[in-house]
């Protein structure tokens, strides 16, 4: 690696006032032809390019991104990572990702600030208790660390939670995944971009795809704002805009794109050292290393690409946060934003071939794609390179909406769809 | 966040309404004769347009009546509202 980051490179660059660091990746211009073009320069897309180059020995790869890399949902999420999903297929998929997260900073030589601070899911009614206990058992059968906690144990693990039985939705218990946690979202995109660039991947920013050129049922290339790019394989990882790209190829996907909001508070001293999620009242919160509370709100129920959500969604989330954490009642919110998430009817993603040869989609991650970034990239790279899915993403094909073999994860998805 | 002009109640805040998804998806007339592909198309596949889209909405916390809307999903601008059963405007 030409510019390996280490304590020595840090000291060396300190002598020149950190003004001579090499660029982490070069700003590439499109060549005439590539073996594979990845559409979408977010975490999932860059990870796909990285693993295509690293594990499948394909070197002539481009990632085209209409804005700047990591500027979409990668930089707009609440950075939560966990794998406590119900079904075997999902457990396999998300835990595959979690295992890569555990060694990712070393692998990329880039600190993604992965912090296994634990994720706790709260139960507020008897159905929640039953569902979470069932999910705990299912997780353990799949080798995923999961514990069921009583109300007292919840209070012990996170003392600032109001566990009084007199609140509107009292805490009746919860689950804990200790290996779960958070990571620095931007660093994930930057780390993968740097790693991919090092292996010769062209990262082309400010390059919007305008059309997909086909010869019959085969892909021939992409029309972009930087001209025509010839390629036989296109991997689309466009999140909220997946349907827009699919429409260019004459395909329809089972997706609806909706705004999902998040907000952060002013920075304060460490107060919450884990991630707490509560599906029933829709409040989830963690604290960033800068000290801001990171709060996830819900989706709006209408289709929109406007990257802004409704005020009442944020209001509802903050009501729930205040009931559960009275200590936050005087805190001021600093920033609020929306991202466009592509939601699948079964709340599970699509990592799949399509009816068009050479066109692949990795989409439908909905409200919870960040946690899967490394695994998603790895499995999508396998699917694109071999023209067939890996066994871990075989269940997440597009055909499941025809066969009826859905992977219903509405219970494990944090945000109610 | 926007204001919706309910054809029965007049202008109300969007928080009173429930979005019902893409409009003019007709329930199959002969469900027993449908193939799996056609069922998938009816149940799951959506245009999910970025731009002008036809939608159904319900005034859930008001008159509870359904109606149709033409809306630009790229900026949430409402172009037209018309009642259920009326033909979609041709544009």
């Amino acid at each position: 690696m030409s510019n390996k980051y280490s304590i020595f490179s840090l000291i060396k660059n300190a002598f020149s006032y950190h003004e001579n660091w090499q660029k982490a990746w070069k700003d590439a211009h499109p060549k005439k032809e590539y073996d594979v073009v990845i559409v979408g320069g977010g975490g999932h897309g860059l990870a796909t390019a990285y693993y295509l180059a690293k594990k499948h020995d394909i070197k002539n790869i481009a990632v085209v991104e209409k804005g700047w890399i990591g500027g979409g949902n990668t930089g707009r999420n609440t950075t939560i990572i966990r794998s406590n999903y119900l079904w075997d297929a999902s457990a396999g998929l998300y835990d595959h990702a979690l295992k890569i997260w555990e060694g990712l900073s070393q692998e990329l030589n880039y600190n993604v600030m992965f912090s296994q601070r634990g994720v706790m899911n709260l139960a507020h009614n008897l159905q929640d208790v039953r569902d979470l206990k069932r999910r705990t058992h299912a997780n353990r059968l799949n080798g995923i660390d999961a514990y069921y906690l009583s109300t007292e144990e919840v209070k012990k693990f996170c003392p600032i939670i109001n566990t009084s039985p007199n609140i509107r939705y009292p805490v009746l218990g919860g689950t804990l995944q200790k290996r779960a946690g958070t990571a620095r979202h931007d660093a994930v995109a930057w780390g993968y971009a740097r790693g991919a660039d090092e292996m010769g991947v062209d990262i082309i920013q400010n390059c919007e795809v305008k059309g997909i050129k086909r010869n019959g049922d085969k892909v021939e290339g992409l029309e972009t704002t930087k001209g025509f790019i010839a390629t036989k394989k296109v991997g689309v990882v466009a999140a909220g805009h997946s349907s827009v790209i699919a429409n260019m190829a004459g395909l329809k996907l089972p997706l609806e794109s909706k705004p999902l909001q998040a907000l952060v508070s002013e920075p304060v001293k460490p107060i919450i050292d884990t991630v707490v999620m509560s599906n029933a009242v829709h409040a989830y919160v963690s604290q960033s290393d800068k000290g801001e509370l990171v709060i996830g709100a819900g989706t709006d129920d209408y289709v929109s690409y406007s990257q802004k959500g409704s005020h009442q969604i944020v209001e509802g989330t903050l009501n729930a946060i205040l009931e559960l954490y009275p200590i936050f009642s005087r805190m001021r919110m600093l920033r609020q934003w929306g991202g466009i998430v592509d939601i699948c009817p079964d709340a599970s993603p699509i990592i799949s071939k399509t009816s068009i040869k050479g066109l692949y989609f990795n989409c439908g991650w909905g409200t919870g794609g960040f946690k899967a970034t490394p695994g998603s990239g790895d499995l999508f790279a396998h699917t694109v390179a071999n023209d067939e899915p890996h066994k871990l993403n075989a269940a997440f094909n597009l055909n499941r909406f025809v066969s009826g073999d859905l992977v219903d994860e509405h219970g494990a998805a944090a945000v109610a769809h | 966040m926007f204001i919706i002009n309910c054809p029965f109640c007049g202008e109300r805040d969007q928080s009173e309404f429930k979005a019902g998804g893409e409009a003019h998806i007709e329930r199959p007339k002969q469900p027993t004769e449908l193939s799996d592909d056609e069922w998938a198309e009816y149940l799951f596949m959506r245009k999910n347009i970025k731009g002008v889209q036809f939608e159904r909405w319900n005034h859930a916390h008001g008159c509870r009546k359904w109606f149709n809307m033409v809306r630009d999903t790229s900026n949430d601008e409402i172009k037209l509202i018309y009642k259920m059963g009326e033909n979609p405007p041709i544009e």
Side-chain angles (χ1 to χ4, degrees):
Chain A
M1 212 174 264
S2 56
N3 54 344
K4 191 173 191 309
Y5 295 152
S6 66
I7 181 75
F8 305 108
S9 69
L10 192 64
I11 293 167
K12 190 178 140 218
N13 278 281
F15 287 113
S16 54
Y17 303 99
H18 297 292
E19 283 169 359
N20 295 321
W21 284 99
Q22 277 179 278
K23 277 193 173 178
W25 60 87
K26 60 187 174 296
D27 215 1
H29 292 279
K31 289 191 272 185
K32 279 202 174 99
E33 188 170 359
Y34 290 96
D35 294 340
V36 180
V37 177
I38 302 297
V39 179
H44 291 240
L46 293 163
T48 306
Y50 174 82
Y51 291 113
L52 273 171
K54 188 179 178 190
K55 292 172 96 172
H56 303 281
D57 208 33
I58 301 172
K59 299 296 176 198
N60 192 22
I61 305 170
V63 177
V64 294
E65 162 59 44
K66 85 172 165 183
W68 61 94
I69 65 163
N73 290 354
T74 302
R76 289 168 181 268
N77 61 77
T78 50
T79 77
I80 296 167
I81 294 162
R82 62 191 172 90
S83 65
N84 54 356
Y85 280 71
L86 177 67
W87 300 106
D88 295 354
S90 319
L93 176 69
Y94 291 103
D95 211 51
H96 177 61
L98 184 48
K99 282 177 189 143
I100 304 177
W101 277 115
E102 286 173 332
L104 192 61
S105 291
Q106 290 300 323
E107 182 184 343
L108 294 176
N109 177 232
Y110 202 101
N111 187 4
V112 298
M113 295 163 77
F114 180 48
S115 154
Q116 291 179 296
R117 59 184 67 179
V119 169
M120 193 158 67
N121 286 82
L122 301 181
H124 294 278
N125 53 54
L126 287 176
Q127 190 60 45
D128 274 0
V129 171
R130 290 185 203 109
D131 286 348
L132 287 180
K133 280 186 176 166
R134 179 190 178 199
R135 189 135 62 84
T136 305
H137 293 313
N139 288 160
R140 299 183 89 143
L141 286 171
N142 277 315
I144 293 168
D145 62 314
Y147 301 90
Y148 189 82
L149 307 180
S150 66
T151 307
E152 293 70 36
E153 288 167 323
V154 167
K155 183 78 178 170
K156 203 174 161 208
F157 192 70
C158 185
I160 60 169
I161 295 181
N162 180 6
T163 50
S164 157
N166 298 322
I167 62 175
R168 178 65 184 84
Y169 295 103
V171 177
L172 300 185
T175 61
L176 175 63
Q177 184 180 17
K178 288 186 181 170
R179 284 163 64 231
T182 60
R184 170 93 199 272
H185 50 8
D186 300 315
V188 177
W190 299 336
Y192 273 121
R194 176 168 167 267
D197 180 83
E198 191 111 314
M199 290 182 287
V201 172
D202 278 354
I203 295 164
I204 305 160
Q205 302 181 78
N206 297 308
C207 179
E208 186 177 351
V209 172
K210 289 291 186 186
I212 296 175
K213 194 180 171 211
R214 282 164 55 183
N215 179 9
D217 63 349
K218 278 191 205 139
V219 169
E220 288 205 319
L222 293 171
E223 299 289 352
T224 75
T225 49
K226 290 193 173 178
F228 180 74
I229 302 173
T231 181
K232 292 201 166 52
K233 285 188 174 183
V234 174
V236 182
V237 204
H241 282 70
S242 297
S243 296
V244 177
I245 307 280
N247 289 344
M248 291 175 190
L251 288 178
K252 254 161 106 180
L253 295 172
L255 298 176
E256 285 194 307
S257 297
K258 297 175 176 181
L260 174 66
Q261 295 178 85
L263 55 160
V264 295
S265 71
E266 58 191 333
V268 289
K269 287 191 173 176
I271 180 72
I272 179 164
D273 63 356
T274 184
V275 182
V276 187
M277 320 184 69
S278 169
N279 296 20
V281 298
H282 209 294
Y284 57 99
V285 62
S286 62
Q287 192 172 15
S288 73
D289 291 358
K290 278 187 285 185
E292 304 157 324
L293 295 180
V294 182
I295 296 171
T299 52
D300 278 293
D301 66 346
Y302 53 86
V303 170
S304 178
Y305 290 83
S306 67
Q307 289 194 331
K308 58 189 178 198
S310 304
H311 180 68
Q312 77 266 13
I313 302 283
V314 170
E315 210 173 18
T317 291
L318 289 179
N319 283 342
I321 293 277
L322 288 192
E323 179 109 328
L324 279 175
Y325 310 90
I327 193 174
F328 295 152
S329 67
R330 293 285 180 258
M331 284 193 70
R332 286 165 296 189
M333 291 299 138
L334 208 60
R335 287 176 287 128
Q336 167 272 348
W337 66 92
I340 302 305
V341 295
D342 44 333
I343 294 175
C344 247
D346 59 355
S348 284
I350 297 165
I351 311 173
S352 179
K353 293 160 64 165
T354 63
S355 54
I356 298 165
K357 192 163 169 44
L359 183 62
Y360 307 85
F361 271 88
N362 181 354
C363 59
W365 290 95
T367 57
F370 177 73
K371 66 174 80 67
T373 304
S376 155
D378 183 33
L379 299 173
F380 193 46
H382 181 102
T383 308
V384 172
N386 298 302
D387 195 37
E388 60 182 70
H390 188 278
K391 68 178 188 325
L392 287 175
N393 69 306
F396 299 95
N397 60 60
L398 246 174
N399 196 53
R400 73 179 190 265
F401 298 96
V402 176
S403 69
D405 194 7
L406 303 177
V407 189
D408 182 2
E409 287 290 359
H410 284 278
V415 179
H417 292 162
Chain B
M1 190 178 195
F2 39 88
I3 304 288
I4 295 174
N5 191 3
C6 171
F8 307 98
C9 311
E11 290 190 344
R12 299 295 172 88
D13 191 274
Q14 173 258 319
S15 61
E16 291 187 13
F17 295 83
K18 175 97 185 105
E22 194 179 318
H24 306 296
I25 298 175
E26 208 174 319
R27 189 178 163 79
K29 291 209 167 59
Q30 304 283 348
T32 52
E33 286 164 26
L34 237 52
S35 69
D36 288 351
D37 279 309
E38 287 166 327
W39 270 120
E41 180 72 21
Y42 167 68
L43 284 173
F44 299 124
M45 300 303 165
R46 295 292 177 264
K47 288 181 191 152
N48 197 24
I49 293 167
K50 182 180 186 178
V52 176
Q53 163 158 299
F54 294 80
E55 299 175 328
R56 297 178 306 166
W57 283 74
N58 179 234
H59 195 179
H61 302 287
C63 63
R64 299 172 66 190
K65 285 188 178 130
W66 285 88
F67 56 92
N68 291 312
M69 184 190 289
V70 185
R71 191 172 58 92
D72 189 335
T73 60
S74 63
N75 58 10
D76 294 336
E77 189 191 328
I78 299 169
K79 304 280 187 192
L80 188 72
I81 285 172
Y82 57 101
K83 288 183 181 168
M84 278 288 159
E86 288 178 13
N87 288 327
I90 303 158
E91 193 192 350

